Amino acid sequence: MEVQRSVTATPRLSASWRRSEDYGIPLDAVNPAFSGGVDSAVDGSLFYECGQEILGGLRDTLSGEPVSMMLTDADGLVLSRVCDESALVSALDKTYLAPGFAFSEREAGTNGLGLALADRAPSLVRGEEHYCTGLWGYTCAAAPVMDPVFGRLLGSVNLTTWSEKSAGLLLALAQTAAGHTSTLMLARGRGAQARPTPKGEVFRVFTAQRDTASPPALGEAWESALAETVAALRSGRTVGVIGEAGVGKTALLAAALRRVHRDHRILNARPPDPRDADSWLALWTPELAKDRTSVIAGGVDALPLWAASELATIVGAARGASLAVTASEAAGIPHPLSRLLDTVVSLPPLRQRPDDVLPLAEYFGEVVRGRAVRFTPAAARALRTFAWPGNAEQLRRVVREAVTRGDVIDVHHLAPEVLCGSSRTLTRIETLERDEIARALAEPGITVTQAAKNLGMSRATIYRKITQYGIRPE
């Protein structure tokens, strides 16, 4: 069935229409999947709680306006809907834009919330810009909600009104609501630190001689993942490495590429802010056209779907260059790129590789210091027994701070966080108190009683705090 549209399509919109066609979405019927209701785990989540509160405030602001406000999860499932106009509610029910129904692009074709989730960017879809004619009567503005600490896509805020109504501030309101949801989550996250925003870096070029220190010999888990990656690259296969943030996925790929393509330049392209994806992509064509070039596209699970599609097209047309990717999990790799992968290698987190901690610490210390550094037995024990939730990147930061104090690192040189094992997130005041106690206990030759006296605490209080914060006195 051919549908005539009287709109001029933007590149993002055209890409979304093509994806909708590939997904087999019917042009004349809206038929999204019904999940049977909102999961209790989602209902009780911090994202849901904060999103509902923000939408409640927005409802008061838009009182009397024909606007439906919705909160969705990362898969496009509508979690909640707030609307005071009965005619709009009735019309939305007929198109199944209601709680319990999934409205991702795969389910309903091009629509506001589906496009916002696919491209991880604020999106406005008006009338005939929708893929399905059943949605032509609406204007939908949506903005993604990102985890303020880990940067994961959590869902979206979607505002829907009649298509003949002015879109005006609709998109701005959706963006504001999404931003306020993230901010409220951070405020209620008990001392959590906001994730750093992208700083515009696109390429970091390094060669086999980029560091003065020799890479360390690591344990079985690392060597096994490295051997699997090397074997795949030597066979001409395209490789993806998955694992937690900071675990060393890019380092693994770089080490494997140096073994297989010794004369290649190795470029590491970090994911851009979705708003900068155009300029980010503009750098790919000339780089991939160069001979003896290997490119590592990091964090592709954070790429807008349209950018992932463009990248896949560029890679398919390139000759003489190779592409490898990293992501947190295989399911998060955008489909256009996952189709290019022949092998996916999983790299375990550092807490499952305790034998790698000290060699990595010594390596990081030598790179920063320019000469060998040594860790005392007590410091080495503290490093090995810490859980390292931030993996190798956290270890690098801790070591970088410690080695500024000398070539021999003892416990009192380490960041207080390494000496603690609290399983809960602390408030800022609790964090300051924990760090002061940990520093006092880490002083050479000090006893718990002396530390309590120096801090102005009773002996009973400091023991209680040691237990409360999971501090491990050396």
Side-chain angles (χ1 to χ4, degrees):
M1 174 182 173
E2 198 70 31
V3 173
Q4 298 297 321
R5 304 174 191 268
S6 58
V7 297
T8 302
T10 63
R12 280 184 65 202
L13 198 60
S14 295
S16 180
W17 287 349
R18 288 194 298 271
R19 292 195 298 269
S20 300
E21 184 177 7
D22 290 342
Y23 296 148
I25 303 299
L27 287 165
D28 56 352
V30 183
N31 190 28
F34 179 63
S35 71
V38 178
D39 187 88
S40 59
V42 174
D43 194 358
S45 70
L46 183 61
F47 162 61
Y48 185 82
E49 172 193 317
C50 295
Q52 286 292 87
E53 187 168 329
I54 296 300
L55 288 189
L58 189 59
R59 179 182 192 173
D60 296 336
T61 301
L62 297 176
S63 177
E65 294 293 328
V67 178
S68 172
M69 294 157 278
M70 292 168 240
L71 190 69
T72 82
D73 70 6
D75 295 320
L77 176 69
V78 180
L79 304 177
S80 67
R81 184 182 68 188
V82 177
C83 184
D84 293 328
E85 183 175 295
S86 57
L88 182 57
V89 170
S90 178
L92 292 175
D93 284 345
K94 291 178 182 177
T95 55
Y96 308 107
L97 190 48
F101 286 91
F103 256 75
S104 69
E105 282 186 344
R106 286 184 177 274
E107 300 289 347
T110 304
N111 67 89
L113 73 89
L115 186 56
L117 293 172
D119 285 351
R120 287 173 165 77
S123 302
L124 180 68
V125 178
R126 305 178 180 90
E128 294 179 26
E129 293 176 344
H130 289 89
Y131 183 78
C132 180
T133 60
L135 297 175
W136 282 12
Y138 307 101
T139 290
C140 300
V145 179
M146 311 302 291
D147 188 307
V149 177
F150 300 106
R152 294 189 300 262
L153 177 66
L154 298 175
S156 74
V157 170
N158 177 57
L159 305 183
T160 297
T161 187
W162 303 111
S163 60
E164 70 269 14
K165 297 290 181 180
S166 171
L169 297 176
L170 209 62
L171 184 58
L173 286 173
Q175 289 180 258
T176 300
H180 286 175
T181 299
S182 290
T183 301
L184 188 58
M185 288 180 65
L186 186 65
R188 293 184 179 172
R190 295 182 59 80
Q193 298 295 313
R195 181 173 182 260
T197 55
K199 295 182 173 58
E201 179 186 30
V202 175
F203 282 108
R204 182 181 61 190
V205 182
F206 52 82
T207 66
Q209 291 78 34
R210 77 187 192 283
D211 293 325
T212 56
S214 299
L218 299 180
E220 183 179 348
W222 173 274
E223 291 299 331
S224 176
L226 180 59
E228 185 180 356
T229 305
V230 167
L233 291 173
R234 281 181 176 155
S235 300
R237 299 197 296 270
T238 305
V239 181
V241 177
I242 59 173
E244 294 179 4
V247 77
K249 301 183 291 292
T250 297
L252 180 78
L253 278 169
L257 285 165
R258 284 191 213 101
R259 292 191 185 184
V260 178
H261 304 298
R262 295 182 182 276
D263 59 342
H264 274 211
R265 294 183 314 139
I266 302 174
L267 307 180
N268 173 26
R270 296 181 176 181
D273 183 285
R275 293 167 295 185
D276 300 328
D278 277 320
S279 56
W280 183 80
L281 280 168
L283 294 173
W284 282 95
T285 303
E287 293 301 330
L288 283 173
K290 296 175 182 177
D291 290 335
R292 296 188 298 278
T293 297
S294 295
V295 179
I296 302 170
V300 294
D301 44 346
L303 279 180
L305 192 53
W306 74 268
S309 298
E310 289 295 318
L311 176 56
T313 300
I314 294 169
V315 171
R319 295 179 180 178
S322 67
L323 175 75
V325 305
T326 73
S328 57
E329 56 183 3
I333 301 174
H335 184 61
L337 290 173
S338 66
R339 289 186 301 183
L340 299 178
L341 298 181
D342 303 305
T343 301
V344 175
V345 178
S346 179
L347 184 59
L350 194 56
R351 61 181 173 275
Q352 295 177 13
R353 299 153 39 206
D355 292 341
D356 289 355
V357 173
L358 191 57
L360 281 172
E362 292 171 341
Y363 171 66
F364 294 150
E366 185 175 352
V367 169
V368 173
R369 195 77 174 166
R371 55 182 179 270
V373 299
R374 185 171 64 84
F375 293 85
T376 66
R381 183 167 60 252
L383 292 175
R384 279 196 300 266
T385 55
F386 186 59
W388 299 110
N391 291 296
E393 279 302 311
Q394 184 183 14
L395 175 61
R396 186 197 298 269
R397 174 176 56 79
V398 167
V399 170
R400 184 172 60 241
E401 293 172 1
V403 298
T404 59
R405 302 179 179 118
D407 294 338
V408 179
I409 308 304
D410 201 358
V411 174
H412 64 281
H413 296 130
L414 300 176
E417 66 196 81
V418 178
L419 308 177
C420 306
S422 178
S423 60
R424 66 181 179 87
T425 305
L426 305 178
T427 64
R428 289 187 177 135
I429 292 177
E430 288 174 328
T431 301
L432 289 172
E433 183 179 56
R434 178 205 67 184
D435 289 357
E436 285 304 308
I437 295 173
R439 287 192 186 98
L441 291 169
E443 290 298 324
I446 200 166
T447 66
V448 174
T449 301
Q450 289 171 326
K453 183 178 179 181
N454 293 343
L455 292 168
M457 291 181 177
S458 69
R459 192 164 175 269
T461 298
I462 197 170
Y463 272 112
R464 178 169 55 82
K465 297 291 185 181
I466 288 171
T467 302
Q468 176 184 341
Y469 296 133
I471 300 172
R472 304 188 300 273
E474 290 293 339

